[in-house]
């Protein structure tokens, strides 16, 4: 029997993913785009509600405080998303709240100067002002690294091989937000997971007016059905005598958002009062800003692939990081309670719907702003149990992780060097943050526990992030281990074309600024 030809047993590497009906600069009809934008808004609610709920409970705020924080986070998230899609990387990425900031924020909450305040409301306000001040100062890190092009220079040390663990762990590193959360209310979490996979994958051929309705709108359809099912269980008294934790995760009336939300409320800068500044708090927050920068870099790389675009050049990546720094500055000025980063779940939704249109994300930003002002309506959607979102995350985080793995096609995975770097970076990227999490859970403080609180926050924040650990390990090994003679194995001949704006003709199509602004900000 004749031996098979190489092209018959392998698939050639492809710059852009195929099978996308709408890529970054092509748009569905306005009706479909609005529906898809609303779907992205619904998905963004998970993090927008979860983070304020956690923080307000720790600070001792009221339900009214929680509602205002949710509204503010959504409002500023909408503004940041518009800025990023118009003037930043121009990739279809939703900018939302980041869990990376929780370590320094919790440290601020437990600061002795704040815990000694007797009045709960005053303590809440003073804590929010301290968080605001730290965010305002720390935002300068991304602003400087972005607009000075320093991050673009650093990105020249990245290769496809080095980026694989970073991008993949942007998804894999969030595994604790997936099934562990689903398990808190399996009676609605498991049906949601099954229904979402069935609609988006097994029934995706179902069409109405030549639109694959179930694939394109699997998220909003499955959430609507399971939300109604969860409400029936709540109304029928199924959770009446269940433990408090079960009721909190399963009931649809436990968020207390609708009753507390005002009909109309416009978030405004310094709404909690004038920010207070503390050097220790600011240094600790800078670690979270660096982590956000690295996680967003992985998010942008994944979004470019899921929008069927080319990898963003160094100039564009720096531009996006600069605008993200402006976004964290806005977080501090408005008082969102946390910093911002690329929403990983929304990046994953681009792949599931196979719609990478920039316009859809800009419409979702409009929904974020609109419903944050109309408090009652926004609170209605925000009352969806988090377990439902966690079930969706099991799929969407996995999609983002697999996008990172797709970069392996540009490398030589028959090289023992490449196998070593990839395996070690993946393992340490998962294992080190897990050690930091377990240590913190058992000891109520991180492994770094010195008298210098800012140093503790810096170390504990950096090494609790899977993508950050993966970047440190992978990029160091990739640029020190036999790097001179392995450029082709690392995928550098393919990657080099996308380092500069003019290296590939498609970059102008995908990343040129609107309103002819490139005249004033010429690409590098």
């Amino acid at each position: 029997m004749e031996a098979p030809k190489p092209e018959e047993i392998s698939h050639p590497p492809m710059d852009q993913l195929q099978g996308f009906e709408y890529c970054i600069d092509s748009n569905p009809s306005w009706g479909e785009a609005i529906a898809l934008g609303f779907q992205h808004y619904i998905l963004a609610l998970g993090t927008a509600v979860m983070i304020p709920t956690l923080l307000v409970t720790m600070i001792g705020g009221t339900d009214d405080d929680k509602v205002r924080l949710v509204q503010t986070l959504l409002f500023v998230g909408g503004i940041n998303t518009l800025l990023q899609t118009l003037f930043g990387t121009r990739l279809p990425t939703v900018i939302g709240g980041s869990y990376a900031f929780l370590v320094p924020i919790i440290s601020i909450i437990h600061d002795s100067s704040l815990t000694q305040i007797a009045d709960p409301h005053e303590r809440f306000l003073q804590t929010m002002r301290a968080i605001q001040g730290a965010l305002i100062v720390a935002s300068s890190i991304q602003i400087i690294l972005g607009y000075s092009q320093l991050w673009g220079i650093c990105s020249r040390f990245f290769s496809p091989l080095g980026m694989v663990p970073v991008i993949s762990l942007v998804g894999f590193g969030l595994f604790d937000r997936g099934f562990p959360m689903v398990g808190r209310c399996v009676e609605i979490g498991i049906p949601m997971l099954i229904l979402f996979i069935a609609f988006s994958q097994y029934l995706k051929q179902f069409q109405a007016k030549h639109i694959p309705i179930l694939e394109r709108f699997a998220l909003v359809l499955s959430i609507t059905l399971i939300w109604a099912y969860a409400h029936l269980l709540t109304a029928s008294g199924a959770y009446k005598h269940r433990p408090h934790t079960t009721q909190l995760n399963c009931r649809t009336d436990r968020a207390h958002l609708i009753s507390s939300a005002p009909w109309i409320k416009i978030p405004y800068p310094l709404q909690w009062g004038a920010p207070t500044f503390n050097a220790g708090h600011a240094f600790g927050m800078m670690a979270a800003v660096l982590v956000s920068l690295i996680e967003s870099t992985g998010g942008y790389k994944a979004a470019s692939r899921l929008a069927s675009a080319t990898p963003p050049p160094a100039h564009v990546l720096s531009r996006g990081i600069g605008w993200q720094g402006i976004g964290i500055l806005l977080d501090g000025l408005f008082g969102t309670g946390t910093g911002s980063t690329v929403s990983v779940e929304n990046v994953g939704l681009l792949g599931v719907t196979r719609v990478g249109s920039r316009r859809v994300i800009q419409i979702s930003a409009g929904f974020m702003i609109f419903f944050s002002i109309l408090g009652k309506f926004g609170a209605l959607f925000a009352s969806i149990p988090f377990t439902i979102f966690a079930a969706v995350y099991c799929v969407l985080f996995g999609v983002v992780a697999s996008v990172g793995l797709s970069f392996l096609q540009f490398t030589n995975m028959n090289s023992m060097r490449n196998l070593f770097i990839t395996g070690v970076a993946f393992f340490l990227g998962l294992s080190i943050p897990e050690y930091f999490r377990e240590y913190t859970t058992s000891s109520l403080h991180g492994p770094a526990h010195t008298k210098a609180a800012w140093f503790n926050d810096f170390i504990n924040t950096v090494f609790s992030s899977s993508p950050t650990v993966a970047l440190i390990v992978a990029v160091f090994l990739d640029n020190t281990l036999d790097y001179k003679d392995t450029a082709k194995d690392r995928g550098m001949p393919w990657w080099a074309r996308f380092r500069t704006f003019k290296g590939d003709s498609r970059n102008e199509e995908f990343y040129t600024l609107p309103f002819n602004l490139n005249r004033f900000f010429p690409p590098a």
Side-chain angles (χ1 to χ4, degrees):
M1 183 177 176
E2 186 180 354
K5 298 176 182 179
E7 59 269 20
E8 294 175 340
I9 60 175
S10 63
H11 301 278
M14 304 188 74
D15 294 344
Q16 298 167 269
L17 287 178
Q18 304 299 300
F20 277 70
E21 188 171 347
Y22 302 103
C23 64
I24 184 172
D25 55 354
S26 60
N27 302 308
S29 65
W30 277 105
E32 191 177 352
I34 290 171
L36 286 165
F38 180 73
Q39 190 167 233
H40 276 276
Y41 158 72
I42 290 292
L43 185 59
L45 285 173
T47 301
V49 174
M50 190 65 179
I51 292 178
T53 300
L54 177 64
L55 294 179
V56 170
T57 302
M58 295 180 69
I59 302 173
T62 63
D63 288 334
D64 291 341
D65 295 325
K66 180 169 71 173
V67 166
R68 285 184 67 187
L69 210 54
V70 171
Q71 286 181 279
T72 305
L73 189 54
L74 279 172
F75 183 81
V76 178
I79 293 173
N80 287 339
T81 300
L82 283 177
L83 291 175
Q84 193 61 239
T85 54
L86 284 171
F87 309 115
T89 59
R90 307 217 69 216
L91 288 165
T93 50
V94 171
I95 307 298
S98 171
Y99 290 95
F101 291 81
L102 289 184
V103 172
I105 288 173
I106 291 172
S107 178
I108 292 173
I109 292 172
H110 291 149
D111 190 292
S112 58
S113 63
L114 297 170
T115 54
Q116 291 173 359
I117 301 174
D119 180 38
H121 182 65
E122 184 62 25
R123 183 169 70 251
F124 175 82
L125 290 178
Q126 292 297 334
T127 304
M128 286 300 301
R129 292 169 188 170
I131 294 171
Q132 285 182 258
L135 284 171
I136 290 171
V137 174
S139 67
S140 61
I141 295 293
Q142 284 196 10
I143 294 173
I144 293 170
L145 287 175
Y147 291 123
S148 68
Q149 294 297 311
L150 282 174
W151 188 241
I153 294 171
C154 292
S155 71
R156 296 179 184 276
F157 293 96
F158 303 162
S159 71
L161 181 70
M163 282 291 99
V164 166
V166 179
I167 300 170
S168 293
L169 290 184
V170 166
F172 285 145
L174 295 170
F175 66 88
D176 58 329
R177 310 269 192 275
F179 206 83
M181 296 284 188
V182 173
R184 295 180 181 181
C185 187
V186 292
E187 54 265 44
I188 65 174
I190 296 293
M192 178 65 203
L193 178 59
I194 294 172
L195 201 61
F196 182 59
I197 293 175
F199 281 174
S200 64
Q201 303 303 316
Y202 289 96
L203 301 175
K204 62 184 178 183
Q205 302 302 329
F206 179 82
Q207 294 191 356
K209 295 184 179 180
H210 305 292
I211 298 175
I213 296 292
L214 293 183
E215 178 190 45
R216 199 71 47 85
F217 303 105
L219 179 79
V220 71
L221 291 173
S222 53
I223 282 182
T224 301
L225 291 173
I226 299 301
W227 190 18
Y229 166 63
H231 187 69
L232 281 175
L233 289 177
T234 302
S236 64
Y239 303 114
K240 193 171 183 181
H241 303 293
R242 300 289 293 276
H244 175 73
T245 304
T246 302
Q247 296 196 36
L248 199 61
N249 288 285
C250 298
R251 294 182 69 102
T252 57
D253 59 356
R254 281 287 172 173
H256 304 300
L257 292 177
I258 300 175
S259 59
S260 302
W263 282 103
I264 296 177
K265 179 74 174 181
I266 301 177
Y268 55 92
L270 308 183
Q271 59 185 333
W272 309 108
T276 57
F277 299 93
N278 178 288
H281 295 166
F283 275 117
M285 196 68 76
M286 285 178 184
V289 170
L290 287 172
V291 168
S292 167
L293 181 153
I294 292 168
E295 293 180 349
S296 293
T297 298
Y300 290 135
K301 300 282 188 185
S304 67
R305 196 134 178 82
L306 289 173
S308 202
T310 53
H315 167 80
V316 173
L317 191 60
S318 281
R319 190 174 72 194
I321 292 301
W323 276 105
Q324 192 168 303
I326 297 292
I328 295 175
L329 176 62
L330 292 176
D331 290 330
L333 290 172
F334 278 82
T336 61
T338 185
S340 54
T341 189
V342 172
S343 173
V344 179
E345 53 268 34
N346 288 90
V347 172
L349 189 59
L350 300 176
V352 172
T353 59
R354 293 196 289 176
V355 176
S357 169
R358 184 189 297 123
R359 176 183 290 174
V360 167
I361 301 302
Q362 291 170 339
I363 290 172
S364 76
F367 277 118
M368 292 165 75
I369 296 171
F370 179 75
F371 282 116
S372 65
I373 294 174
L374 294 180
K376 292 288 186 186
F377 292 100
L380 173 65
F381 298 118
S383 65
I384 300 171
F386 186 76
T387 306
I388 292 178
F389 291 107
V392 177
Y393 293 167
C394 291
V395 176
L396 301 183
F397 291 162
V399 170
V400 174
S402 66
V403 169
L405 295 176
S406 75
F407 280 85
L408 287 173
Q409 68 184 303
F410 307 109
T411 68
N412 176 16
M413 291 314 291
N414 291 314
S415 162
M416 194 59 225
R417 171 194 181 274
N418 288 2
L419 291 173
F420 176 85
I421 293 171
T422 304
V424 171
F426 264 109
F427 187 83
L428 292 181
L430 288 169
S431 190
I432 291 176
E434 182 63 18
Y435 163 72
F436 271 72
R437 280 191 288 266
E438 288 185 3
Y439 193 105
T440 302
T441 301
S442 60
S443 304
L444 299 181
H445 59 76
H449 188 57
T450 67
K451 292 183 179 180
W454 65 269
F455 175 80
N456 301 337
D457 292 343
F458 198 95
I459 297 298
N460 293 330
T461 300
V462 167
F463 289 99
S464 294
S465 165
S466 290
T468 305
V469 174
L471 181 105
I472 294 170
V473 175
V475 173
F476 175 78
L477 291 176
D478 192 36
N479 286 278
T480 58
L481 189 62
D482 300 329
Y483 71 97
K484 289 184 178 180
D485 304 319
T486 55
K488 187 175 180 181
D489 286 349
R490 298 164 64 205
M492 294 309 291
W494 173 80
W495 191 261
R497 290 183 295 145
F498 307 111
R499 282 183 167 183
T500 60
F501 193 85
K502 297 179 180 179
D504 190 283
S505 59
R506 292 166 293 183
N507 289 337
E508 185 174 355
E509 175 188 355
F510 299 140
Y511 300 115
T512 298
L513 289 171
F515 316 122
N516 208 18
L517 288 175
N518 273 52
R519 290 184 305 168
F520 307 103
F521 305 100

